[in-house]
Amino acid sequence: MPATKFICPDGNCVPIEDCLRGCPNCQRCMFLPTLRAVANSLDRQISEPTVTELIAGTRETFLKKTTDYAVDPASILYAIHGQAVHSINERHTQGEILSEERLKDDITSGQFDLFGKILDTDEGVLGDLKVTSSFKLMKALGIYKAKVDTGEVYKSGVKKGQHKFRSELRFDGVRDILDWAIQLNYYRLLLNRAGFKVNRMFIQAICRDSGLRIAAERGITKSVYVIPVYGISDLWLERYFRHKAKALRDAIQSNTLPPVCSFRERWGDRKCLGYCPARQNCPYAQALVNQKENDFDELKIPA
Ligand code: SF4
């Protein structure tokens, strides 16, 4: 079941069809074609679970497929940016590069972005296009902040006598691209099975907040990065996707809410609190919200 309602800026929900027919407020929160594009992007009409749906938490995908939910159209705009980047690239493949093909097997289906001579003379390069934040890029590039002792000490105040530290960027951390790597490797598997040999894989990531101070502070100084993606064994991929597809199928057939998404899938709860489209129907997310509200109430100073 795709999203059925939009959340207006005043917090009220309106059925998407009603919004597109005529905004209940005095003026639309964005142009009508943009709202139509947002609505269109939410209704993908793909019956089998896709690669990206299986990489997400099973509970999230189950709730998105079986319950009505509402989305803030503004929160979908980044996805629309991503689709625009895909369309622009697709229009410039000059007939010699494969693009945007949906491939299927008995587990899932996935649509790769670009395959062919996209970087050099190698015909077997698989490329994926991302529009992402400097925070995600920082992690993907293995950049982190280390605390370095300045050799000075505080001479007064509550920290008197303690060492002073400053933050320094380091560029030798572990590259956190697991979800991207799983996604791209499954496209590689699907392409190989269709008779196309993938030799190398890359992500071209456009930084959506490049140029801002926050991005520079994270060591992100360019607007675009080409990031190599490591290989994952076919056996591991097949087991992982079969397991996730079965868990989702069983949950849908028995109409049983799957266990809470893993720590990684729920971004250590950040996703549940503000980003997961299924959070309105997820008991775990609702419990987190209630807990946060209670913590906040306890902090309030009694009158
Ligand atoms: S709110 Fe959190 S636990 Fe619930 S479906 Fe979304 S990611 Fe999973």
Side-chain angles (χ1 to χ4, degrees), residues 75-212:
S75 72
I76 309 294
L77 288 181
Y78 286 131
I80 301 278
H81 285 174
Q83 285 169 14
V85 169
H86 287 180
S87 308
I88 291 164
N89 276 272
E90 198 182 3
R91 284 207 298 271
H92 293 90
T93 51
Q94 323 282 60
E96 56 188 14
I97 291 165
L98 295 181
S99 74
E100 304 288 337
E101 296 286 342
R102 181 161 289 278
L103 300 171
K104 264 184 175 193
D105 63 10
D106 61 327
I107 306 173
T108 180
S109 78
Q111 186 165 313
F112 67 85
D113 290 340
L114 297 164
F115 175 67
K117 287 188 199 174
I118 56 173
L119 271 185
D120 46 32
T121 54
D122 185 352
E123 290 182 345
V125 179
L126 173 60
D128 202 59
L129 301 158
K130 304 277 184 210
V131 179
T132 191
S133 65
S134 58
F135 177 76
K136 179 116 193 194
L137 262 172
M138 181 188 188
K139 290 179 153 269
L141 295 168
I143 303 173
Y144 62 99
K145 287 179 181 172
K147 273 191 159 185
V148 181
D149 193 336
T150 60
E152 296 172 19
V153 290
Y154 289 94
K155 297 205 169 69
S156 60
V158 283
K159 290 190 178 172
K160 188 175 177 186
Q162 291 180 21
H163 283 250
K164 286 185 180 175
F165 290 88
R166 68 163 184 270
S167 273
E168 253 182 36
L169 283 175
R170 297 280 157 81
F171 297 83
D172 58 352
V174 177
R175 294 192 306 127
D176 181 3
I177 55 165
L178 183 60
D179 283 358
W180 289 353
I182 294 174
Q183 182 191 3
L184 227 61
N185 269 274
Y186 208 83
Y187 296 162
R188 171 186 61 73
L189 198 72
L190 291 170
L191 270 162
N192 283 349
R193 284 179 182 156
F196 298 94
K197 188 166 180 303
V198 178
N199 298 326
R200 289 141 73 213
M201 295 169 282
F202 291 88
I203 284 183
Q204 177 174 283
I206 295 176
C207 180
R208 63 182 179 223
D209 53 349
S210 86
L212 298 185

Side-chain angles (χ1 to χ4, degrees), residues 56-64 257-262 264-267 269-286 288:
T58 306
R59 175 179 286 202
E60 178 186 336
T61 303
F62 169 85
L63 287 172
K64 281 165 70 181
L257 184 68
V260 173
C261 304
S262 71
R264 184 177 63 82
E265 288 163 345
R266 57 179 206 272
W267 311 344
D269 289 344
R270 275 190 316 121
K271 189 169 187 179
C272 315
L273 284 168
Y275 300 95
C276 177
R279 65 188 185 281
Q280 299 137 4
N281 298 321
C282 174
Y284 180 80
Q286 292 311 309
L288 276 182

Side-chain angles (χ1 to χ4, degrees), residues 272-273 279 283-295:
C272 315
L273 284 168
R279 65 188 185 281
Y284 180 80
Q286 292 311 309
L288 276 182
V289 171
N290 290 340
Q291 190 188 343
K292 249 193 130 183
E293 281 170 2
N294 289 341
D295 290 351

